[in-house]
Amino acid sequence: MEIVYSSKFAREYKKLSKHLKDLAERQEAIFRIDPFDRRLRSHKLHGKFNEFLSFSVDYRYRIVFEFSRDKKIAYFYSVGDHDVYQ
């Protein structure tokens, strides 16, 4: 699966600790194989983010994403703790 990173995602990712970057890369590898693998805890968001989904990097951190219409491309919009939903 192709992944496109938004500039917002790139800025937020750059600020993560090395440990969180390593976890995010492991989770992304799983995501590329199966975006709904149980280990990711992928889920649809609600409210003003109802067009997005997210998956877990760890207990606290999430990656917010959406799919292209044909589901061949995932757009990573944001990464961070629950503040990414604001």
Side-chain angles (χ1 to χ4, degrees), residues 4-15 75-79:
V4 175
Y5 307 99
S6 72
S7 57
K8 180 180 194 278
F9 177 89
R11 284 190 309 272
E12 292 169 345
Y13 183 83
K14 193 174 184 180
K15 295 177 186 176
Y75 297 93
F76 281 19
Y77 173 72
S78 186
V79 59

Side-chain angles (χ1 to χ4, degrees), residues 13 19 25 27-28 42-43 52 69 77:
Y13 183 83
H19 173 72
E25 289 173 17
Q27 293 297 79
E28 182 182 319
S42 298
H43 61 281
F52 294 99
R69 287 185 185 245
Y77 173 72

Side-chain angles (χ1 to χ4, degrees), residues 29-60:
I30 295 167
F31 180 91
R32 285 178 182 275
I33 295 166
D34 179 2
F36 295 98
D37 186 292
R38 285 183 32 210
R39 295 171 286 181
L40 298 173
R41 297 185 297 281
S42 298
H43 61 281
K44 183 106 172 91
L45 299 178
H46 302 284
K48 68 180 183 178
F49 292 97
N50 65 351
E51 62 204 48
F52 294 99
L53 298 97
S54 82
F55 69 87
S56 297
V57 173
D58 69 0
Y59 179 75
R60 185 173 167 203

